Amino acid sequence: GENVEQHPSTLSVQEGDSAVIKCTYSDSASNYFPWYKQELGKRPQLIIDIRSNVGEKKDQRIAVTLNKTAKHFSLHITETQPEDSAVYFCAARKVQGAQKLVFGQGTRLTINP
Amino acid sequence: GAVVSQHPSWVICKSGTSVKIECRSLDFQATTMFWYRQFPKQSLMLMATSNEGSKATYEQGVEKDKFLINHASLTLSTLTVTSAHPEDSSFYICSARWTNYEQYFGPGTRLTVT
């Protein structure tokens, strides 16, 4: 089955700097890769996703890149703000059928003012 | 975006009792819903996949007789923790698939078993 590895487990950056979180997946058939942000005690929120037919997607300060050959994808947050502090999870799955999302271990991002 | 609600948001129960958690998709029909469990500072652990009108599919290691899942309609799935024990204390989160891609999460239920 699919296995998703996420790094780093913790990340601390200065406000205004960029943050990058990386994930690798094992199943080459996976073709959907969402990223979720979870604040303490709250629900995971879908912040951006990418499908395997594109290599990059951007939404304001957030971007995701996908390298299908290497089977890895990354989340990039630019101009970080204190409200970006949270735990971020990557995930992967095959779109066909009722395939389940497989999550990475999570990255605790702290933005220092 | 799609909205998923969950009730209750927190519950405290005594050991040996049962607790029911409801998950609703408010503005869309969800043929597939998912139940997760999350321990502090850990990732989401899938417990089961629930399809409307059929039996849930449980992940390995999850006791189906202890965690009863019912997906009676396209907008409602319930998780019942039977004969709860302190080790069942956790954050339970449901999720519903809106399209073939996006999956949205409920706000979670914090269960404490005393």
Side-chain angles (χ1 to χ4, degrees):
Chain A
E2 176 65 277
N3 182 52
V4 178
E5 295 288 332
Q6 182 172 347
H7 298 281
S9 58
T10 61
L11 179 61
S12 182
V13 302
Q14 288 299 120
E15 182 177 354
D17 288 350
S18 296
V20 181
I21 302 171
K22 299 181 179 181
C23 289
T24 60
Y25 60 99
S26 61
D27 190 346
S28 56
S30 289
N31 50 12
Y32 176 62
F33 309 92
W35 285 88
Y36 289 87
K37 173 185 180 182
Q38 187 179 30
E39 297 178 28
L40 188 62
K42 303 212 173 157
R43 77 180 84 198
Q45 289 186 305
L46 179 65
I47 57 172
I48 196 167
D49 57 11
I50 192 167
R51 305 179 189 183
S52 60
N53 58 345
V54 297
E56 184 174 0
K57 183 178 179 181
K58 190 173 182 180
D59 182 4
Q60 300 182 340
R61 297 187 296 108
I62 295 174
V64 56
T65 58
L66 171 65
N67 183 327
K68 285 190 297 182
T69 303
K71 290 189 283 187
H72 67 69
F73 56 113
S74 301
L75 177 71
H76 304 254
I77 306 175
T78 59
E79 301 173 18
T80 53
Q81 301 167 3
E83 53 264 37
D84 294 329
S85 295
V87 178
Y88 291 80
F89 292 99
C90 64
R93 77 172 181 98
K94 288 178 280 193
V95 170
Q96 290 74 20
Q99 296 294 329
K100 60 186 179 184
L101 272 177
V102 178
F103 285 88
Q105 297 86 345
T107 297
R108 183 171 300 277
L109 174 63
T110 303
I111 308 302
N112 301 308
Chain B
V3 179
V4 179
S5 73
Q6 198 170 330
H7 178 81
S9 56
W10 59 270
V11 58
I12 302 173
C13 71
K14 293 190 175 183
S15 187
T17 62
S18 296
V19 173
K20 180 184 281 189
I21 302 170
E22 290 188 352
C23 176
R24 294 181 184 271
S25 55
L26 296 186
D27 52 0
F28 67 102
Q29 293 182 330
T31 54
T32 305
M33 288 186 172
F34 305 86
W35 287 94
Y36 293 83
R37 185 173 180 176
Q38 187 176 34
F39 291 105
K41 298 186 178 182
Q42 293 190 21
S43 189
L44 296 106
M45 184 191 81
L46 179 65
M47 300 175 66
T49 300
S50 167
N51 289 296
E52 185 265 339
S54 62
K55 291 183 179 180
T57 301
Y58 290 82
E59 294 298 302
Q60 190 173 5
V62 178
E63 299 176 60
K64 62 180 181 180
D65 294 330
K66 180 168 185 62
F67 299 100
L68 301 179
I69 291 172
N70 184 18
H71 193 157
S73 75
L74 288 171
T75 59
L76 173 64
S77 177
T78 60
L79 166 68
T80 301
V81 183
T82 62
S83 187
H85 288 96
E87 56 265 32
D88 298 323
S89 299
S90 189
F91 192 49
Y92 292 87
I93 312 176
C94 71
S95 180
R97 195 158 285 168
W98 180 41
T99 66
N100 206 23
Y101 292 91
E102 293 94 345
Q103 187 169 322
Y104 292 90
F105 286 84
T109 296
R110 186 159 302 283
L111 169 63
T112 301
V113 184
T114 61

